[in-house]
Amino acid sequence: MEFESTFGTGAPLLGMVHLPPLPGAPRAPDDGREAMRAAVDRAASDARALDRGGVDGIVIENFGDAPFYPDEVPPHVVAAVTRAATAVADETDLPLGINVLRNDAEAALSIAAAVGADFVRVNVHTGARVTDQGIVQGRAHETLRLRDRLGVDVGVFADTDVKHSAPLTPAGYTAESFADTAERGLADAVIASGPGTGEAVDAEALEAVVAERDRHGLDTPVLVGSGVTSETVADLLGVADGAIVGTALKEGGETTAPVDADRVADLVAAADAVR
């Protein structure tokens, strides 16, 4: 994919659609059809609010499905995310991304191909991380070959030092892994996040990722993946090439609350002051 032409800007703001618990998840309603209706309705409503607020793209993920499967999710999860993503695609023409937690890139790519999405987010694309699901390993070799087999121009946005995880590698390797993710893993964009959902990325860590990108002579975009607010977005876009925003766009700043179009508009306005 071509990053800037996809989003219509070189510094896109991507808003999150955090799906509620899907059928089969521990916290889903007992009535599976009710759970599916609730997820579809929320996805469509959040997509409309994000579009009205002025974001440049949307990412949908099965956020409410904790505890997450570490790698492959079962077919009912793929089906449910596909249905919710179709509802989002029906509501807006904004570029769409798919993330299947915790790390099912094959499912995300397959859903993206089915609904015409533009990119996927992969939490662990190369290397390995210790997570609450155990050790999660990257499968870049499988993900890129599947994309070729499907014949779709779907970008792979891959995390580095992904939130809710710790490295298996020696201290100081994180920045170096940018080259593995982008140059060897062929990621189309790299995401730098804070330690958890809604938590700010460390400024020095973000600068280190960008510096490592530049040192290797790469032009892979770097996105901030968590903790972005109206107060911080301008400074962050002075370093990074875009941001994925969830919690700050929700009613009351609560991650699981509905998207607030006014909060979206405030953050977009703050970003527009510098881009």
Side-chain angles (χ1 to χ4, degrees):
M1 67 171 292
E2 209 291 319
F3 186 80
E4 186 167 349
S5 63
T6 296
F7 299 109
T9 173
L13 295 178
L14 313 181
M16 286 300 309
V17 170
H18 290 120
L19 293 174
L22 299 171
R27 292 181 290 185
D30 291 337
D31 185 330
R33 291 185 177 179
E34 177 187 341
M36 195 67 250
R37 281 194 297 269
V40 169
D41 289 347
R42 169 62 72 81
S45 175
D46 282 353
R48 289 193 296 269
L50 289 167
D51 198 338
R52 286 200 310 274
V55 297
D56 305 298
I58 291 174
V59 183
I60 183 172
E61 69 178 21
N62 56 323
F63 183 82
D65 278 357
F68 302 114
Y69 296 93
D71 296 306
E72 295 180 7
V73 301
H76 69 267
V77 176
V78 179
V81 176
T82 302
R83 184 174 176 191
T86 300
V88 170
D90 287 343
E91 293 291 337
T92 175
D93 293 326
L94 288 172
L96 178 61
I98 310 293
N99 187 20
V100 178
L101 299 170
R102 176 68 154 123
N103 203 55
D104 196 338
E106 179 176 340
L109 261 176
S110 300
I111 295 166
V115 304
D118 301 275
F119 62 98
V120 297
R121 181 175 184 174
V122 183
N123 289 168
V124 183
H125 183 57
T126 57
R129 305 282 297 184
V130 179
T131 74
D132 51 310
Q133 296 82 32
I135 296 176
V136 173
Q137 298 187 62
R139 297 180 176 179
H141 60 294
E142 295 177 356
T143 302
L144 273 295
R145 285 170 173 80
L146 174 61
R147 182 171 66 176
D148 286 345
R149 292 199 303 276
L150 293 175
V152 290
D153 184 20
V154 173
V156 174
F157 292 11
D159 283 87
T160 180
D161 198 23
V162 68
K163 56 192 174 183
H164 300 291
S165 73
L168 287 172
T169 50
Y173 182 77
T174 299
E176 189 68 33
S177 72
F178 185 100
D180 291 339
T181 302
E183 197 166 34
R184 292 162 65 87
L186 304 182
D188 298 288
V190 170
I191 303 165
S193 299
T197 300
E199 298 185 41
V201 64
D202 179 78
E204 292 185 1
L206 176 61
E207 291 169 357
V209 171
V210 173
E212 192 63 22
R213 185 265 310 271
D214 295 343
R215 189 174 75 82
H216 282 271
L218 301 172
D219 58 4
T220 309
V222 174
L223 303 175
V224 178
S226 69
V228 180
T229 68
S230 296
E231 291 73 30
T232 63
V233 66
D235 288 340
L236 290 170
L237 292 182
V239 180
D241 303 297
I244 301 171
V245 192
T247 300
L249 305 182
K250 305 300 186 66
E251 294 177 2
E254 295 289 336
T255 306
T256 56
V259 172
D260 183 334
D262 290 336
R263 293 176 73 102
V264 179
D266 288 344
L267 187 134
V268 170
D272 284 345
V274 297
R275 60 177 184 152

